Amino acid sequence: MADRLDRLVGESLTAAVHTRTAPLEILAWEAPGEPVPFADAACQRYAPFAVGEPWGRPWSTLWLRVRGTLPGEWPRDARHRPEVVVDLGFDGLMPGFQAEGLAFRPDGTVVKAVSPRNSHLPVVGAEIDYFLELAGNPGIPPESHWRSTRLGDRATAGVEPLYRLRRLEIALVDVGVWELLQDIEVVRGLAEQLPADGPRALQLWSALDRMMDAIDPDDVSGTVLVARRALAPALAAPAAASAHTVLATGHAHIDTAWLWPVRETVRKCARTFSNALALMDEHPDFRFACSSAQQLAWVKESYPGLFARIREKVASGQFVPVGSQWVEPDTNMPGSEATVRQLVHGKRFFLEEFGLETREVWLPDTFGYSAALPQIMKLAGVDWFMTQKISWNQTNAMPHHTLAWEGIDGTRIFAHFPPIETYNAELSAAELAHAERTYRDHDAGTVSLAPFGWGDGGGGPTREMLAAARRQADLEGSPRVRLGSPGDFYTAAIQEVDELPVWRGEMYLELHRGTLTSQLRTKQGNRRCEELLHEAELWATTAAVQAGTGYPYDALDRLWKRVLMLQFHDILPGSSISWVHREAEADHTAIVRELEGMVAVSLDALRVAGEDGPLLYANATAVWLAGVPPHAVAAPADPAGAARFEETADGWVLTNGIVRAVVDRRGLLVSLQGPDGREAIPAGEAAALLRLHRDAPGKWDAWDIERDDLRHAVDLTELEQLGVVTEDGAVVVRCVRRFGSSSVTEELTLAPGRAAVDIALDVDWQHRGRLLKLMFPLDVHAEETRSETQFGHLARPTHANTSWDAARFEVSGQRWIHVGEPGYGVAIANDSTHGHSVQRRTRTDGGTTTMIGMSVIRGPRFPDPDADRGRHRVRFSLRPTANIADACEEGLRLAHPLRPVRSSRPAEALVTCTDPHVLIEAVKLADDRSGDVVVRLYEASGGRRRATVRASFPVAGVQRTDLLERPLDPPVGASEPSSVAFELRPFEIVTLRYRRARVG
């Protein structure tokens, strides 16, 4: 029967959808370079163009002018619908990954888009007159995995046309035939999901058999109503009372960049959102969720008329802003304040543009989720969280689909993982059956979420998907489908359970571990921009309060938004085409230049003397550095203990009165002792050892690191050069290692007064399919490691007792990692590394070696075949006899080196804290431009603390606020607002807003 049905659909019904066609006049103009606005394209000289002609050089834009008249003899009744049908040369498989088009009326009004599964345009009235902007985007299948492509860079993509216009004409749709095809799709799809010998499946196949008997292939139009009546009873049977409910919300996960550049995403947004608006006009109950403030901001700027229509649909409740963030970012690598600002800028955009406060974080496709997020979300006014990416885990499945997620501080937030396990659902019977089978909480809940619509490359929902939703709204054998918004789902789900199961800690994605390392330049640029944004805000605020200078509100707002955009989960993770990363690197460079200028202007405003004044130093960190107080400008302390070295038969001994280090003739660190004299490196082993691993993921090249590849490695011990010198009072061991076409210059430095050995790698990287790690064997019996995350740190076991532990063979960290046993620890800090591995083994002497492998650089072939080729500089520090506070200090020292300032007067910190374990993360002026000073701080040790925060400027009042700087209850109870005492729970975040007192 299935073969007979396939033939009927393919041979007769599909062809009968369009009963008549008529030609259109086609004229064309090709944009000479990058895309142009409609107004520019509309006034160009167009030349004749015909169906069958080639078009579409990679990344080019072709504009068509399409005109015609609806034939007068065509019927105009409810059974027929005229439309323009377009085939740009589609392969029919993946919307968003090939050619696309956007239709405009002659007045510039956006109509809707055309793509492989949404290839029609409306006909209103008798005259047709459209401009079509065709994007010649090359198809780069994500399933290329490891096969190199040159299509990701316009300079190497070629100039030959990729497409041929196959169809562009007016067609008359037989509505009944189209509806019959939707009926068949649902009935057959459901029958294939049910037990073949069960009564419901047999009834469905029988109904299909009767339908095929009723339809006349030679008179499809005349017999279609009879055929539909044959299927009607099967489609009218209601679902069981116990059937699961799927809350279906329209969606289009548009990657802000991936296999296309950012500029193309702007156009994808216009295409997708216009499609959604067109469906809303036809289906008032349809809801479409849009999760990225940045994408709507682009539409507001580039397509103001379309944005005005979006506003109307937001007001009607059909277009639903969700997500609360500026983009859908990576959550492991962005720092503390950047994670906050994603929510601040995202929520504020939705509030200012639509008057709506979004209540969810919506991250369907991000590669793992930081354990700091629950508290940060709550402090931004978020109630719940959604992702489906966690279903991609290679080893372990999450035990629940609806649960409470507990962060490092104890905050819990409602979380949901749609059991349909895709954010690109078509609402097919197979997908719905999968959702019902997969859902793990049937004992407590009856509803799950299903985001439906073409995504990744955009496109969104289609009329076929809505037809499927309607037919499966209440259908025997299927989950019930209800159209609604994400808020409708949350309201229904939260009411079903009295107590949710709890997941504590990070949501580690057991996949895509390589994204912590791919595209090092992009990651370094992000880290440096974050550091400079912190410094620019701090010193601009200090200058505004102490010197009365203006505050660069507009510039900081603009730069923050650009940095946040570049944290999108296919940009910062390094998984985009070459074009994207070259632009990101250029953007980061420009941002760094502007922020450095901003810092210089602020520090200059704080100076009292000119260039001949004494040399002071500006400390932008929350800890004392070289005797300079936190967030102040002051004279440094004289370093104690000069660094010196002694040559031995086996190498060199470096000392400075605090640390003793031994470097052997291979240039490797074979001994390290702190002030207590305890040895940090096991006998016979070497730290700061470069290890080259094989790196050949089976599928996702830029994304993955395979466990087996970590077992295949070569230690790089051969030397090309080795020498020891003294520079600026420090001892530097410098060695050059060459391996194949790549080389590394490694410097081990012991400076006066330093409690750590500093390590710098200058890498000339040319390898493909290799992973370079920097190895640190440590003589520490560590049951767990502690790695910095946003506003705290995360503990992970060093053992592999369970499959969950074993799956964490490459994990994320930010500026430092600490390993310790009672009374002793070692810290490793970095300036731009995010991925690391940890192994523990028992030695023959009975001791324990904890091996830390810091992932430095990779060489993936896809999607950027030249990822990270070239020169890089990466810095680390290794500190023995270190506690958590020492680890924090090392990370901050690398992030914010002291800045020299010529001034005869120190600049006092605006705000200080009495407890060194409570760190001030941000100092800024309030976003509402009131002049209030906003200070964000957090408990950093993981313990309960009592601290007093003191302001050095006149204060009229102080409030505790949420992350959007809105007052929280209860108010701060302080008789003297310039001095506020707090008790903080472990890792608690506190934001204080100071109203400055008028002076004089």
Side-chain angles (χ1 to χ4, degrees), residues 52 78 81 102 234-235 397 412 436 474 487 589 634 943 989:
R81 178 180 66 239
L102 181 62
L235 288 166
R412 293 181 179 181
E436 188 168 59
D474 190 12
T589 299
I989 303 167

Side-chain angles (χ1 to χ4, degrees), residues 325-341:
Q325 295 177 293
W326 190 247
V327 296
E328 292 181 13
D330 180 84
T331 74
N332 288 316
M333 290 178 280
S336 300
E337 200 60 23
T339 303
V340 166
R341 302 304 173 91

Side-chain angles (χ1 to χ4, degrees), residues 40-339:
D40 292 349
C43 63
Q44 302 298 325
R45 187 184 299 273
Y46 284 65
F49 197 83
V51 171
E53 290 194 43
W55 74 279
R57 292 177 297 105
W59 305 113
S60 66
T61 300
L62 180 70
W63 283 84
L64 301 181
R65 181 77 185 268
V66 180
R67 290 182 287 203
T69 302
L70 189 67
E73 69 274 15
W74 283 11
R76 288 166 169 77
D77 55 41
R79 292 188 56 185
H80 297 90
R81 178 180 66 239
E83 60 189 25
V84 174
V85 181
V86 186
D87 186 342
L88 303 179
F90 302 134
D91 66 15
L93 298 177
M94 298 184 67
F97 291 84
Q98 54 187 290
E100 302 173 68
L102 181 62
F104 297 80
R105 295 188 180 90
D107 64 359
T109 302
V110 172
V111 181
K112 66 177 292 291
V114 290
S115 60
R117 303 292 183 89
N118 196 343
S119 57
H120 63 280
L121 295 171
V123 173
V124 180
E127 299 299 319
I128 295 100
D129 191 353
Y130 286 132
F131 284 87
L132 293 179
E133 181 193 32
L134 308 187
N137 301 335
I140 305 176
E143 287 77 13
S144 296
H145 299 317
W146 46 264
R147 297 173 183 85
S148 294
T149 177
R150 291 292 172 181
L151 292 170
D153 187 332
R154 190 164 189 165
T156 61
V159 296
E160 294 301 314
L162 300 172
Y163 302 102
R164 190 177 297 273
L165 183 64
R166 290 202 192 106
R167 189 178 186 187
L168 184 47
E169 60 187 356
I170 315 170
L172 189 65
V173 176
D174 186 317
V175 175
V177 177
W178 186 88
E179 295 285 359
L180 176 61
L181 284 169
Q182 312 316 307
D183 294 342
I184 292 170
E185 183 74 18
V186 169
V187 173
R188 177 179 182 167
L190 180 56
E192 291 175 340
Q193 295 304 309
L194 298 172
D197 57 353
R200 179 58 171 159
L202 292 173
Q203 291 164 9
L204 294 170
W205 284 117
S206 177
L208 289 167
D209 192 41
R210 290 193 299 273
M211 179 275 299
M212 287 186 283
D213 288 341
I215 198 81
D216 181 355
D218 296 322
D219 185 17
V220 172
S221 182
T223 56
V224 66
L225 294 180
V226 178
R228 291 199 70 200
R229 282 197 290 270
L231 288 178
L235 288 166
S242 61
H244 185 66
T245 295
V246 170
L247 196 294
T249 188
H251 181 50
H253 171 70
I254 306 174
D255 284 312
T256 296
W258 181 23
L259 303 179
W260 46 86
V262 169
R263 65 89 154 149
E264 193 55 34
T265 307
V266 179
R267 301 201 295 179
K268 285 178 178 290
C269 292
R271 294 191 283 258
T272 300
F273 299 162
S274 63
N275 284 345
L277 295 175
L279 284 175
M280 290 173 198
D281 290 339
E282 298 175 15
H283 305 278
D285 58 342
F286 167 58
R287 301 290 182 267
F288 177 81
C290 175
S291 64
S292 173
Q294 170 68 91
Q295 293 178 1
L296 286 166
W298 280 330
V299 171
K300 180 184 178 183
E301 178 182 4
S302 299
Y303 303 89
L306 181 61
F307 190 75
R309 291 166 56 199
I310 289 173
R311 281 185 191 274
E312 294 174 358
K313 294 300 185 181
V314 170
S316 72
Q318 291 179 277
F319 194 105
V320 186
V322 296
S324 302
Q325 295 177 293
W326 190 247
V327 296
E328 292 181 13
D330 180 84
T331 74
N332 288 316
M333 290 178 280
S336 300
E337 200 60 23
T339 303

Side-chain angles (χ1 to χ4, degrees), residues 786-836:
R786 294 182 179 270
S787 300
E788 186 188 35
T789 189
Q790 297 92 346
F791 298 104
H793 58 263
L794 181 67
R796 298 185 181 99
T798 57
H799 57 71
N801 282 357
T802 70
S803 59
W804 296 88
D805 302 328
R808 292 184 173 92
F809 57 82
E810 179 82 3
V811 295
S812 67
Q814 295 198 345
R815 293 174 295 197
W816 55 265
I817 178 174
H818 181 270
V819 294
E821 61 186 47
Y824 184 79
V826 178
I828 303 169
N830 71 84
D831 75 339
S832 54
T833 300
H834 298 87
H836 64 269

Side-chain angles (χ1 to χ4, degrees), residues 19 39 165 180 194 215 228 256 300 311 361 399 408 481 505 550 561 668 733-734 790 801 837 928 935 954 980:
T19 62
L165 183 64
L180 176 61
L194 298 172
I215 198 81
R228 291 199 70 200
T256 296
K300 180 184 178 183
R311 281 185 191 274
V361 163
I408 54 173
V481 177
K561 287 175 179 175
L668 299 176
V733 180
R734 183 178 293 114
Q790 297 92 346
N801 282 357
S837 56
D928 63 5
V935 176
V980 181

